[in-house]
């Protein structure tokens, strides 16, 4: 190298030398932006995969691709493992459920599921507050949070049964909404949660909660509520249906026969056939008290005509007669 070139090199400022040498080797780009930047946006920019928290080799999951290129794995209830530190999880649970960090919320929801399965007594005192926050997550526009909250709801129903009845309304409203919306994988999960609800919550307590939704302005919500109502009634049993009031139940079912959506009408038809079967069962048991001269006074037809308007009675009898004929032909 010439003497002039050496002199030129020595006159370059130190900062420029550093930049020149950096360009020739590895260069770590510094963080640019606000450190408090929304976590969700950071994850979107970096396409970070989110794996459900506290998973290990024993937990398997069903992967779904969520908005923002973030892969979320949803763990089925039977594959959830117990918490390592129950007390610590309980201490931070409500704050984590209410976090603005959606990853933290998903982790907290899965912890609610673990507590419901393995330590339900430990969470009982805060169950009402937990349900309010789970319902809040059901409203979250991010499908990962929403579906995890739906799965959490199913585990809560399974664990707490009638203990949650006073806190049920927020969950019920949101699950009916989610089960009637267009995101298929969220919709299907919500329907499974509603099935769990009708399985684990006593029908005597659940049916009054469902009734207002049968008159909801949204036809899809009415349809989902009708399906829940139809599934719940048979769990009363013959004596339970009689005690609850078969006349009340037949009036509810009859009102759904003319509903807008076929799901509502089909649920009503199924329920009416169930009520007819139950009515005839306890009518047969009491038939010895009926006068021989008035054998038809307590028939299903007369019962319907005495409890319903003429048009409603006609519609109900048409459904039950067709249903009965179908059963006879199919036997």
């Amino acid at each position: 190298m010439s003497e002039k070139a050496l002199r030129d090199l020595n006159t370059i400022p130190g900062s420029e030398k550093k930049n020149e040498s950096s360009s020739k080797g590895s260069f770590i780009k510094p963080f640019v932006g606000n450190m408090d930047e929304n976590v969700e946006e950071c994850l979107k920019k970096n396409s970070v995969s989110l794996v459900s928290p506290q998973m290990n080799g024993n937990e398997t999951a069903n992967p779904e691709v969520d908005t923002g290129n973030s892969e979320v794995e949803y763990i089925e209830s039977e594959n959830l493992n117990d918490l390592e530190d129950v007390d610590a999880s309980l201490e931070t649970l409500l704050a984590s459920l209410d976090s603005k960090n959606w990853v933290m919320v998903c982790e907290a929801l899965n912890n609610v599921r673990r507590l419901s399965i393995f330590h339900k007594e430990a969470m009982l005192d805060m169950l009402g507050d937990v349900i309010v926050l789970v319902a809040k997550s059901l409203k979250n526009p991010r499908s990962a949070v929403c579906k995890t909250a739906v799965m959490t709801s199913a585990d809560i129903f399974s664990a707490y049964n009638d203990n949650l009845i006073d806190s049920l309304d927020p969950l019920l409203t949101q699950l009916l909404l989610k089960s009637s919306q267009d995101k298929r994988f969220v919709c299907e999960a919500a329907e499974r949660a509603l099935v769990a609800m009708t399985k684990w919550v006593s029908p005597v307590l659940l049916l009054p909660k469902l009734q207002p939704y049968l008159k909801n302005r949204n036809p899809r919500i009415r349809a989902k509520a009708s399906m829940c109502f139809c599934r719940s009634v048979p769990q009363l049993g013959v004596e339970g249906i009689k005690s609850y009031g078969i006349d009340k139940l037949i009036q509810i079912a009859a009102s759904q026969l003319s509903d807008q959506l076929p799901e509502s009408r089909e649920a009503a038809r199924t329920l009416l056939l169930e009520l007819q079967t139950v009515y005839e069962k306890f009518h047969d048991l009491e038939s010895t008290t009926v006068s021989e001269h008035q054998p038809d006074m307590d028939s299903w037809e007369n019962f319907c005509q005495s409890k319903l308007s003429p048009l409603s009675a006609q519609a109900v009898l048409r459904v039950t007669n067709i249903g009965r004929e179908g059963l006879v032909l199919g036997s």
Side-chain angles (χ1 to χ4, degrees), residues 106-125:
C106 285
E107 180 178 359
L109 288 167
N110 279 325
N111 284 344
V112 170
R113 300 176 67 201
R114 292 181 172 95
L115 287 164
S116 298
I117 294 169
F118 298 107
H119 306 280
K120 65 179 183 180
E121 296 298 330
M123 198 170 65
L124 190 57
D125 290 342

Side-chain angles (χ1 to χ4, degrees), residues 180-291:
S180 61
Q181 291 179 348
D182 296 330
K183 284 188 178 179
R184 183 177 175 182
F185 77 104
V186 174
C187 176
E188 290 175 349
E191 288 180 342
R192 289 193 294 271
L194 290 171
V195 170
M197 177 188 69
T198 55
K199 178 180 179 181
W200 295 109
V201 179
S202 297
V204 173
L205 300 175
L206 181 59
L207 293 175
K209 295 284 188 181
L210 286 168
Q211 270 185 255
Y213 295 99
L214 299 175
K215 298 178 180 180
N216 193 280
R217 289 179 298 176
N218 186 328
R220 290 187 177 185
I221 290 179
R222 290 199 305 270
K224 299 301 180 181
S226 295
M227 294 166 71
C228 290
F229 200 90
C230 175
R231 283 195 301 266
S232 189
V233 168
Q235 296 194 54
L236 286 166
V238 174
E239 289 301 322
I241 288 175
K242 184 180 177 182
S243 299
Y244 194 87
I246 194 168
D247 52 340
K248 184 194 305 182
L249 293 170
I250 194 176
Q251 289 163 6
I252 293 169
S255 70
Q256 300 299 302
L257 276 179
S258 58
D259 198 76
Q260 179 178 344
L261 292 182
E263 292 93 334
S264 292
R265 301 194 295 271
E266 182 59 33
R269 286 192 287 268
T270 302
L271 178 54
L272 286 167
L273 288 170
E274 176 71 21
L275 293 174
Q276 181 188 25
T277 301
V278 169
Y279 179 83
E280 291 176 348
K281 278 183 180 179
F282 69 71
H283 176 252
D284 289 343
L285 293 173
E286 297 172 353
S287 61
T288 55
T289 63
V290 178
S291 170

